[in-house]
Structure formats: C-alpha cells, structure tokens
Amino acid sequence: DAGITQSPRHKVTETGTPVTLRCHQTENHRYMYWYRQDPGHGLRLIHYSYGVKDTDKGEVSDGYSVSRSKTEDFLLTLESATSSQTSVYFCAISESAAGVYNEQFFGPGTRLTVL
Amino acid sequence: AQRVTQPEKLLSVFKGAPVELKCNYSYSGSPELFWYVQYSRQRLQLLLRHISRESIKGFTADLNKGETSFHLKKPFAQEEDSAMYYCALSGVIQGAQKLVFGQGTRLTINP
C-alpha cells in the first residue's frame, strides 16, 4: 500500500459538533483528495489540493472545509456535523492531476457516523 | 455534464462463467477511462486504464466511443474476483482535471 494513513479510522459524533479527519502521506505527492463513499452514489469528490495551501472544491463541498499546511497532511473539517454527512471518507493522492497515466492511490478510509 | 453510469448495483455469477460489468459515460471531450476495484478489507486500487489496452487479472475493457461505453469483461470468473468495482472518467471539469466515479457494482462470484 502507498504510504497513506487516515485518522481516526472510525468516529461516532453528534449532530452539531465539529469533526476533523486527517490524511497523512509519506509519498511526497503533490495532489491530495477527499472523497465520500455512499451506497448508490459511488465516490464523490469533496475537496482536493494541488499543493501546500492550494485547495479547490469538488462536487459535494458544502458543509466541508479543508486545509493543507504541509505536503504530507490534508485535513478535512466538518464545521457542524449533520446526519447527512454520515459516510465513509477516503483520502487519495497522486503525483499529478488525474489523467491517463496518473493513478490515484487511496487510503484505508474513515467511517464517520453522525447521530 | 460529465457523468459515469454503472447500471448494475449488484451482479452475481457462477465461477467459470463470463462476467461483464457495464459502464457508460457522458463527456464532451476525449475521455480517459479507468476501472478501480476494492476487494474485501483492502484499499481501493486501480485495476486498468483504457489507454494501456492491457489485460489485468484476466479482465479487459474496451472504450467504445460510439456507444460511450467502457464495459469490463472477463471470460471465466474466479471467486477472488468478488469485489466492488468502480468505473471512473478523468476529464477537465470546472477548469481542472478531475476523476469522476460511477456508482459502483458489487460483483459476487458464486462457487
């Protein structure tokens, strides 16, 4: 497995509380991504980063913010968690932007439950 | 709009039978298509990319631009092929190169 870790791996929280998920890589890849995986929807991009302090929105960014202060860390924050954010969250990395020869490598996932 | 559709949420076949996982896409430019796979208790990983035109673990996929399809095929399914399969399209979306995934198909190979 590529050197990608996610923490925590499981979390249960209550509606309205802030939650931060961490993705850490040891591959020195420039691009990092946060996806959520939901039945019937597959994987949907939340936010991505193309460098330190450089981030942009994905398909389902409402209610989420991200930060990348170091190459190796990409944080996803739910400012005020809602039950609709119950999901499995995956971090991914790639050397370059998604393209024909640029494979994305995925972390193990974080299962988040918002009660 | 860019979209990837996998019409089958679940697919079950017997060991040794042929298997085909369907994928259709919509994209205005020249698409780059991939299949990713997630085996039980493993991470999501790339299975194959259309540009390589290779066979991986016995699977092949041909890009059919006329039918806007990229179906994944294997002539003789094995039990170890049981997994979740995602078709994905790479393209320029809102000014940036991104990967768009389909809804996924859970393939079960029965002994």
Side-chain angles (χ1 to χ4, degrees):
Chain A
D1 290 334
I4 313 169
T5 56
Q6 292 184 230
S7 58
R9 294 293 313 281
H10 302 271
K11 186 170 182 65
V12 179
T13 191
E14 294 188 349
T15 298
T17 60
V19 176
T20 295
L21 307 183
R22 179 181 183 237
C23 177
H24 179 78
Q25 60 144 330
T26 57
E27 305 296 322
N28 201 35
H29 283 4
R30 178 181 175 190
Y31 284 77
M32 299 185 75
Y33 310 83
W34 277 109
Y35 293 91
R36 59 177 291 174
Q37 181 188 45
D38 303 288
H41 292 279
L43 277 81
R44 292 179 291 174
L45 182 65
I46 305 171
H47 281 281
Y48 68 101
S49 169
Y50 48 96
V52 174
K53 293 185 171 28
D54 292 322
T55 65
D56 204 351
K57 296 179 179 180
E59 179 187 1
V60 289
S61 59
D62 288 347
Y64 302 94
S65 62
V66 290
S67 66
R68 190 167 178 202
S69 58
K70 298 185 290 185
T71 298
E72 56 266 36
D73 289 326
F74 192 33
L75 303 181
L76 176 70
T77 297
L78 290 66
E79 301 291 347
S80 178
T82 67
S83 58
S84 64
Q85 293 176 311
T86 292
S87 186
V88 180
Y89 291 84
F90 286 98
C91 174
I93 64 174
S94 65
E95 289 188 70
S96 301
V100 64
Y101 291 112
N102 297 320
E103 179 178 350
Q104 287 192 15
F105 298 93
F106 285 80
T110 293
R111 185 174 295 276
L112 175 68
T113 302
V114 183
L115 302 175
Chain B
Q2 301 78 14
R3 183 183 295 273
V4 177
T5 302
Q6 295 177 250
E8 305 137 328
K9 285 186 180 179
L10 303 171
L11 184 62
S12 181
V13 302
F14 286 102
K15 177 181 174 181
V19 62
E20 180 179 52
L21 289 82
K22 291 184 168 51
C23 172
N24 289 92
Y25 66 90
S26 64
Y27 182 64
S28 56
S30 184
E32 299 164 356
L33 277 297
F34 306 83
W35 278 97
Y36 278 79
V37 61
Q38 186 174 25
Y39 301 103
S40 178
R41 287 184 285 278
Q42 293 187 30
R43 303 185 183 197
L44 190 66
Q45 59 188 285
L46 178 67
L47 179 62
L48 55 78
R49 46 175 70 106
H50 91 267
I51 196 71
S52 300
R53 301 185 65 81
E54 57 194 344
S55 173
I56 302 293
K57 298 185 178 182
F59 284 99
T60 60
D62 291 320
L63 178 60
N64 185 324
K65 292 186 178 181
E67 296 184 357
T68 60
S69 68
F70 188 56
H71 303 328
L72 184 68
K73 300 177 183 180
K74 185 169 182 176
F76 306 104
Q78 302 298 315
E79 288 186 63
E80 55 265 31
D81 296 328
S82 294
M84 190 74 174
Y85 291 81
Y86 290 98
C87 182
L89 176 152
S90 176
V92 177
I93 300 164
Q94 295 177 327
Q97 194 82 23
K98 295 172 186 169
L99 205 56
V100 176
F101 287 86
Q103 302 92 325
T105 297
R106 182 168 297 281
L107 175 65
T108 300
I109 307 302
N110 300 304

